[in-house]
Structures are given as C-alpha cells and as structure tokens.
Amino acid sequence: MTAGPSCHIRRAAQVEADVHVPVAIVGGGACGLTAALMLSDAGVDCVVLERDALPSGSTALSSGFIPAPGTRTQRAHGVLGDSAERFAADIQAKAHGRAAPALVEAYAASIGPALDALQERHGLRWMLLDGFLYPGHSVHRMHSLPQKTGASLMAALQAAAAAAGIPVLTQALVDTLVLDAEDRVIGVDYSRPDGSRETLGCDALLLACNGFGGNPEMVRTLLPEMAEASFGGHAGNDGSAILWGEALGARLRDLGGYQGHGSWVTPQGALMSWAVMMEGGVQLNREGRRFHDETEGYSEAAVHVLAQPGGIAWNVFDAPLLALARGFPDFCEAEAAGALRRCESVAALADCIGCEPSVVQGTLDAMRAGTPPPDGRVFARALQAPYFAVKVTGALFHTQGGLDTAPDMRVLRQDGASFANLFAAGGAAGGVSGDAVWGYLSGNGLLSAVAGGYIAAHTAAALIQSTKASQ
C-alpha cells in the first residue's frame, strides 16, 4: 500500500523461544490491557508486548470517555431506557448506515458487560457524564473515571494488570509475526532497546497495536484531506497492523474512516471539550462568521475548520459555558498554557479575532433570531458579555479503518474466512464509524478498544481451553 515501519511475516514449522504463552498481545493500550484482564479472569495466561517504556497509546491522549448502555453505573444514575439495540441504532444513524452491522451489534452488546467487569473485578470506578449529551447519542451513556482523562484510564488499567500479575513487557517492538504453513500464528519476533532480538511463542495472537494516523505517507494516501492537519494521536500509530495484514492477504475495511477533532487548541496543542459547543458555544472563522452546525459532531468539524481561511477558527462562548469547560482537565491545561482570551465587548471580541465588529455583532444577533440559520441550529439562548475565545484548528486523532474482523474479532481473509488464531481489535481493526469522518460517534474509539478487547479475550480463551481439552 505505502511505506511504513518494518513489518515482516516469517514462516516456520515451530519457533525456538525461551518463553511460550497461550496468548500474546501486541499493544498495551486500553484494548490490549482490557483483553489481558479478561484473559486473566478466565484463567488463561498471556503476555502484553508494548513498544513504549510506559504503556499509553491513543488512550492516554484521549478524554477517556467510553459510551455503554445498560451498565450498573448507568442504572444507578436512573438511566433505565437505554439498551444495546438503542446504542446500535445511534451508531448506525451517525454512520448513515455504513458501519459494519455485525460489529455494531457485537460492540453494543459487549461494552456494558466489559465496563461492569472492569468495575466489579478490577476496581475501575465509573461515573456517568450526565450534564450534556455528546453528538449523536440519544441518552446519557458516556462513562468516565472521576479524573476525566485518558491518562487516568490508562493508569487504572495498568494498576489492575499489575495487581492481576499480568506480564507487560515494555520497550518490546514487535516487527515480525511467525506463522506456520497452515497460517497459524506460532510466535512473534521483537527488538529491544539495546538492539537485541527475542522471540515469544504463542498459541494465539491479538493485534491491539495501532491505526495509521502517525504514518504521514499512509495518511496522505488514504486520508488526503488530513494530510496537512495537526496530529493529536500517538506516534506509535504507524500502520503496522495494516501492513502485516496486507502481507498475510487479510481483508481491510473502512480505511477512509477516522476521528478528527475541530477543537485542537493552537498553538498550545491541547484539546478543548466539545461540550462547550453542544451547550451553546459557537465556532467563528477569521471573518467572524459561523460556518457549520457545531452540534453535528466534533469529528467532521475538523474538516470544516481546516476549510476556513488559514485553517483556524475561534471557539466563542460566555461565562456559564466557561464554568462548564473548567470541569474538564484538558481545558484547564489549555487555559493554564494561555489559550483563553477574555473579551469584555463585541468590539474586543472582534479585535481578538481580527475581523469587523459589525460582522461579529451580526453573528451573535442571529443567535437571538426567531428563525433558525441556514444550517438549522437552534440556540436556547444568546451569548452574553464577557465573551471568551480560544483559537483552534482541525486535527486528526486516530483512524477507524483497519483489519476486517468477524464479530468474534478473528481476522478475516480476502475470501471472508477467518484466520484460526489471529485476532485484531481497537485501532488495529476496522471500527464502527463507516468509511468517512462524519461517521464517528463520540466515543467510538474507546468503544472498539474496550469492547473489542473484551470480545477477543473471550474468543481466545475459548480457543485455548478447547485446545487443552482435546489434547
């Protein structure tokens, strides 16, 4: 497809390795660690191989919010009308029906039990974000740890893995998958920081490693509209899983799908919560005009923002919305870095943006009008002085396309048959956002990571246990 990291397939009848485990997991993010914890619960040993010195991945750079229906936490908050079916309908509505139906159904049904298992068996204490609805969700179902950061989610998963005694081998860069003549994975080769190489034998392999957002050549080829966008994801998203899949003749899916974000604070390089837009904030371009319906979603907003003069916009809001924003650690970090501008009047706001005061005044007046603007957004109230503004651009966060999988997370061949013991989930696999930026429903990234890891672990555990029983 395109240039990328060194990714190889090695054929062998057997592997010579000092260590052999039932399941090897490539990638120590939310997907890999969730799978490892579920395997541990099932009594199946595994090893997690992580390229970095400390597992982080895309999860640590995210807000750490996970949508799920029917959880204990949701019920405790009095949200009783949600279901896997309703969640699946919301996913497909956002994707215009172009998300893989079998995966949508599998993820929607599994994510609730996955979060409950992480809470009940591994101490992750979820809270429900019920102050507002994220774009595309028909009910409050977004879960978070109290710290409201992806870094805290990763820390909790790492602590749980350590408590369960799960080996997480860091600074282990996997570059080669070892398969026998029948296309069964029998091990992986990886390099260490000192240049030495090691091999780990396994009975099953889960690729929980990455997408391709950190591979500029793949982005230019597959997502040309994001070629010049800021990248807010993890550098390890180098497309390894896709390149291994190509070498194996695996089927790929939805390579045009990705999560963008139209609220990447510039030049500070931080994320501003889209909750401010959903609750009445607006985005203005350099002319002081609105240019899209902000409530449609933050992913497609990235494309709208990048299409504006200079590829920038200003998030404009007022004091009540500032109070909401300050409830999110990412915004507080951006504010501490000097991103927030306070404007006492329309004239001061126009001066901040660099446009004519009359244009900004007309934009703000339109929010008070009785008739909806051309984009159809209806505002509950107009913004009031003092105004606050944050300069933003559009960014690419992570890709949503990858290896095609069956609903049990087995990787599929070109003909639709499954590899016997090769699994993919999270960023390595195609998600449930369809093949375009606008198909991304808030939280789809961590949905596929956690639900995919949960499902893959159960399938792999059943495979290992059935193999043992037949021996």
Side-chain angles (χ1 to χ4, degrees):
M1 177 183 296
T2 184
S6 176
C7 296
H8 305 289
I9 303 297
R10 179 164 69 87
R11 297 288 178 173
Q14 59 185 18
V15 293
E16 295 183 4
D18 293 333
V19 178
H20 184 283
V21 293
V23 182
I25 300 172
V26 179
C31 180
L33 292 182
T34 296
L37 290 167
M38 297 303 107
L39 287 167
S40 176
D41 290 346
V44 175
D45 290 336
C46 68
V47 168
V48 178
L49 298 151
E50 167 58 44
R51 61 183 292 161
D52 293 338
L54 182 69
S56 60
S58 299
T59 302
L61 299 173
S62 73
S63 297
F65 301 161
I66 308 173
T71 64
R72 290 180 55 190
T73 300
Q74 199 185 35
R75 292 192 297 272
H77 281 73
V79 180
L80 304 177
D82 204 7
S83 65
E85 292 75 19
R86 182 172 182 174
F87 185 23
D90 286 350
I91 294 171
Q92 285 290 17
K94 191 70 174 67
H96 298 186
R98 288 161 66 167
L103 282 183
V104 171
E105 182 179 341
Y107 286 173
S110 298
I111 188 62
L115 294 194
D116 282 350
L118 289 171
Q119 176 165 309
E120 294 163 10
R121 301 200 292 262
H122 299 288
L124 277 72
R125 302 300 175 192
W126 305 110
M127 59 177 287
L128 191 70
L129 300 178
D130 58 0
F132 57 91
L133 281 174
Y134 273 94
H137 289 281
S138 62
V139 66
H140 295 298
R141 62 167 71 98
M142 200 69 78
H143 294 67
S144 168
L145 295 182
Q147 299 91 336
K148 297 181 183 177
T149 66
S152 65
L153 175 58
M154 279 304 303
L157 289 170
Q158 290 168 44
I166 297 168
V168 178
L169 186 60
T170 58
Q171 296 184 302
L173 179 59
V174 177
D175 54 31
T176 302
L177 310 187
V178 188
L179 286 84
D180 64 17
E182 298 178 347
D183 273 351
R184 293 188 66 89
V185 181
I186 57 175
V188 295
D189 298 334
Y190 55 96
S191 61
R192 305 292 277 158
D194 63 1
S196 63
R197 296 187 59 75
E198 299 175 11
T199 298
L200 175 69
C202 63
D203 298 319
L205 174 66
L206 169 60
L207 297 177
C209 39
N210 53 40
F212 62 88
N215 184 324
E217 292 193 34
M218 293 182 78
V219 171
R220 276 193 293 271
T221 300
L222 299 170
L223 308 174
E225 69 272 27
M226 287 286 112
E228 305 302 322
S230 300
F231 178 52
H234 187 263
N237 289 330
D238 58 12
S240 298
I242 288 175
L243 297 175
W244 279 318
E246 284 187 309
L248 287 170
R251 196 160 71 187
L252 305 176
R253 180 169 53 79
D254 293 339
L255 296 183
Y258 63 96
Q259 187 226 318
H261 209 297
S263 195
W264 184 247
V265 179
T266 184
Q268 287 81 6
L271 182 66
M272 178 173 167
S273 172
W274 203 249
V276 174
M277 295 298 109
M278 296 301 294
E279 291 299 294
V282 293
Q283 289 197 308
L284 307 185
N285 61 17
R286 282 182 170 176
E287 298 173 348
R289 307 179 193 278
R290 289 182 59 239
F291 50 90
H292 71 120
D293 179 355
E294 298 88 345
T295 64
E296 288 296 315
Y298 54 74
S299 185
E300 56 265 54
V303 178
H304 295 311
V305 170
L306 289 171
Q308 300 311 302
I312 66 100
W314 291 86
N315 289 354
V316 176
F317 46 102
D318 59 10
L321 295 173
L322 175 61
L324 172 66
R326 284 174 170 165
F328 295 88
D330 290 340
F331 178 85
C332 294
E333 292 176 10
E335 182 180 2
L340 184 67
R341 317 284 183 88
R342 179 185 174 109
C343 306
E344 299 295 339
S345 64
V346 169
L349 178 59
D351 184 62
C352 174
I353 294 173
C355 64
E356 292 295 323
S358 61
V359 176
V360 176
Q361 187 66 64
T363 298
L364 296 176
D365 287 345
M367 297 174 64
R368 299 185 178 89
T371 58
D375 61 34
R377 182 177 180 185
V378 177
F379 292 89
R381 65 178 184 85
L383 299 178
Q384 304 291 330
Y387 305 103
F388 298 90
V390 174
K391 187 179 181 181
V392 299
T393 188
L396 169 64
F397 265 58
H398 56 80
T399 54
Q400 285 282 287
L403 299 173
D404 199 3
T405 64
D408 65 2
M409 300 297 110
R410 281 185 169 92
V411 175
L412 297 176
R413 304 173 188 272
Q414 290 287 350
D415 64 2
S418 299
F419 285 86
N421 66 340
L422 176 61
F423 303 86
V432 289
S433 300
D435 56 358
V437 63
W438 39 257
Y440 185 87
L441 180 70
S442 302
N444 267 4
L446 280 173
L447 165 66
S448 61
V450 176
Y454 177 88
I455 297 168
H458 283 79
T459 309
L463 174 66
I464 299 302
Q465 290 160 354
S466 66
T467 301
K468 281 185 178 179
S470 65
Q471 289 175 344

